[in-house]
């Protein structure tokens, strides 16, 4: 049995939803489908989730919501009309949104989650209705009744495997199950959404819970590519990679699959296949436990930017027990998560995503490190830093890879500010100036993939 997740662009229009139905019809084992909210129909379009966030903010600011509400309802109305569904569907969705708006309370984050979840919830109901309309038995699954349980921490919503036993019942449902992505419920019954793009996570949870033979993640590209196609011309398609490789790539900018979505599938060894709704015949990219690393030790190169480096220097730091812990504690107190901590004997750098930093907390951090750790020098060194990440499980067994990569970077005339290779050796990270990012990516791509078309 397969669980299929269809992303925002796959369900953005009536035409796309018809493709979804064809895909499901073409394979009897596609029993459970997880859907996103309607995404962008064209480059400048807005996702329904973004329209819902706007609507929630208008309500929170006590402004008139009618125009923002109409923007959301119109999207569904158009889809419903083009699918030939009963015209009351738009009214049903409007009523649902008004009911959600009426739940506004002092708990803004709960209200925001309730509004955001409307995108997938209504889309799942609409798509289930369309399946039935074309004569295919289907039912909408309510995540609360089905048992998609999440933890009580609104700042980091994660699924609780305790819900799996109940979710497993989905496989006994009659007909096609249409499950809304992106949200679940705490044990006390509170709705919570995952991070943006979180329908991938729902798909993975459901696939793990029912022990699916395959989790198919339908999106709008034929496969995952070895490098960003916006920077590298015609990059090689990845035919097969491991969970750990995908995790590293999606962490560092490969947005095709949410970086939190792998764990549930991985823990129950459910293979994942990334496929294209617009070209379902293409084989896609398989994500599995093991692959043959011999031909291609490096599977992809990711880049991510928007990082700052906090540099701290203190004479004899290496002898001072607890220095690193106290430094990181200061960051923890400010609610900051860090990415890397390359260090020398008397200095330590902490690489932090800029989204965690403000003018105020930067000053506070510097002051605390000076006063509490008596550092000789502390400052934010780079504020527009990029990470270039070479990923591949085969790197563990290959020699000379770092030398090849560093030589390739040297050819571009760029400076390497930081190198980090974790002991797992699945990834090799280079910190560079943002302005050099694209040319380094192209040069590394030429070095490691020049002659490769498909990475099997
Ligand atoms: N609709 C949500 C978002 O835009 C979740 C998703 O599509 O996966 O982030």
């Amino acid at each position: 049995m397969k669980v299929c997740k269809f992303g925002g662009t796959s369900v953005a229009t009536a035409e796309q939803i018809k493709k979804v139905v064809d895909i499901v019809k073409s394979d009897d084992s596609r029993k459970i489908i997880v859907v996103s909210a309607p995404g962008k129909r064209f480059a400048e379009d807005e996702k329904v989730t973004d329209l819902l966030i706007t609507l929630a903010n208008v309500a929170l600011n006590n402004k008139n919501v009618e125009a923002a509400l109409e923007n959301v309802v119109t999207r569904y109305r158009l889809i419903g009309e083009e699918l030939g569904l009963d015209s009351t569907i738009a009214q049903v969705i409007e009523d649902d949104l008004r009911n959600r708006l009426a739940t506004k309370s002092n708990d803004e984050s709960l209200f925001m989650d309730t509004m955001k979840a409307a995108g997938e919830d209504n889309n799942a109901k609409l798509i289930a209705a369309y399946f039935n309309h074309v004569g295919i038995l289907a039912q909408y699954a309510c995540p609360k009744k089905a048992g998609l349980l999440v933890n009580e921490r609104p700042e980091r919503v994660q699924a609780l495997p305790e819900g799996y036993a109940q979710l497993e019942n989905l496989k006994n449902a009659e007909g096609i199950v249409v499950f809304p992505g992106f949200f679940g419920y705490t044990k006390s019954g509170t709705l919570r959404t995952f991070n943006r793009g979180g329908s991938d996570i729902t798909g993975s949870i459901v696939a793990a819970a029912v022990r699916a033979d395959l989790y198919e993640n339908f999106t709008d590209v034929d496969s995952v590519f070895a490098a960003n196609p916006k920077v590298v011309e015609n990059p090689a398609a990845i035919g097969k990679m491991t969970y750990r490789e995908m995790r590293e790539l999606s962490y560092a900018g490969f947005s095709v699959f949410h970086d939190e979505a792998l764990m549930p599938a991985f823990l129950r060894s459910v293979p994942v296949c990334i496929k294209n709704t617009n070209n379902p015949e293409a084989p896609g990219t398989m994500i599995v436990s093991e692959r043959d690393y011999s031909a291609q030790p490096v599977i992809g190169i990711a880049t991510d930017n928007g990082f700052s480096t906090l540099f701290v220097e203190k004479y004899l730091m290496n002898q001072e027990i607890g220095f690193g812990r106290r430094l990181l504690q200061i960051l923890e107190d400010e609610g900051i998560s860090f990415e890397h901590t390359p260090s020398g004997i008397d200095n330590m750098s902490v690489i932090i995503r800029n989204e965690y930093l403000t003018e105020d907390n930067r000053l506070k951090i510097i002051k605390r490190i000076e006063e509490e750790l008596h550092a000789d020098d502390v400052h934010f060194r780079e504020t527009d830093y990029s990470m270039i990440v070479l990923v591949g499980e085969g790197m563990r067994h290959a020699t000379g890879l770092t030398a090849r990569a560093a030589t390739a970077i040297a050819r571009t005339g760029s400076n390497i500010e930081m190198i980090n290779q974790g002991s797992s050796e699945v990834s090799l990270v280079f910190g560079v100036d943002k302005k050099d990012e694209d040319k380094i990516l192209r040069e590394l791509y030429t070095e490691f993939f020049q002659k490769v078309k498909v990475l099997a």
Side-chain angles (χ1 to χ4, degrees), residues 115-279:
M115 294 307 297
K116 283 193 291 188
E120 344 302 276
D121 206 30
N122 285 301
N123 215 22
K125 288 179 186 160
L126 185 150
I127 291 171
Y130 181 61
F131 269 99
N132 288 312
H133 178 74
V134 295
I136 302 170
L137 183 65
Q139 52 179 300
Y140 155 82
C142 166
K144 193 175 199 169
K145 288 200 198 117
L148 202 150
L149 280 184
V150 297
N151 60 359
E152 299 277 350
R153 290 177 56 203
E155 69 289 359
R156 187 137 192 271
V157 178
Q158 285 184 308
L160 297 177
E162 292 149 73
Y164 283 17
Q166 196 183 333
L167 275 176
E168 200 177 347
N169 294 326
L170 288 175
K171 66 181 183 202
N172 305 322
E174 240 192 293
I176 305 294
V177 173
V178 187
F179 199 102
F182 196 32
F183 66 98
Y185 287 84
T186 64
K187 280 188 198 159
S188 55
T190 307
L191 182 154
R192 287 290 172 206
T193 53
F194 296 118
N195 287 343
R196 290 302 302 269
S199 300
D200 286 349
I201 307 174
T202 309
S204 184
I205 293 164
V206 172
V210 302
R211 296 182 192 274
D213 298 309
L214 183 63
Y215 169 29
E216 289 181 317
N217 193 286
F218 281 90
T219 172
D220 51 12
V221 286
D222 277 358
S223 56
V224 181
F225 296 104
N228 183 355
K230 289 191 186 121
V231 180
V232 173
E233 218 181 304
N234 284 326
I238 301 177
K240 193 189 271 180
M241 67 175 139
T242 68
Y243 294 105
R244 293 207 306 169
E245 289 171 333
M246 185 72 233
R247 154 82 182 115
E248 297 278 345
L249 289 171
S250 55
Y251 155 77
F254 273 43
S255 56
V256 67
F257 195 60
H258 198 293
D259 65 347
E260 289 177 39
L262 278 170
M263 205 34 97
F266 165 71
L267 289 175
R268 288 205 165 171
S269 303
V270 177
V272 181
C273 188
I274 311 284
K275 284 181 79 78
N276 190 353
T277 301
N278 306 316
N279 185 15

Side-chain angles (χ1 to χ4, degrees), residues 312-314 323 369-378:
V312 185
E313 186 161 52
K314 186 177 182 190
F323 189 92
I369 295 173
E370 281 170 348
E371 286 174 3
E372 295 171 32
L373 302 183
H374 309 291
D376 300 329
D377 182 13
V378 43

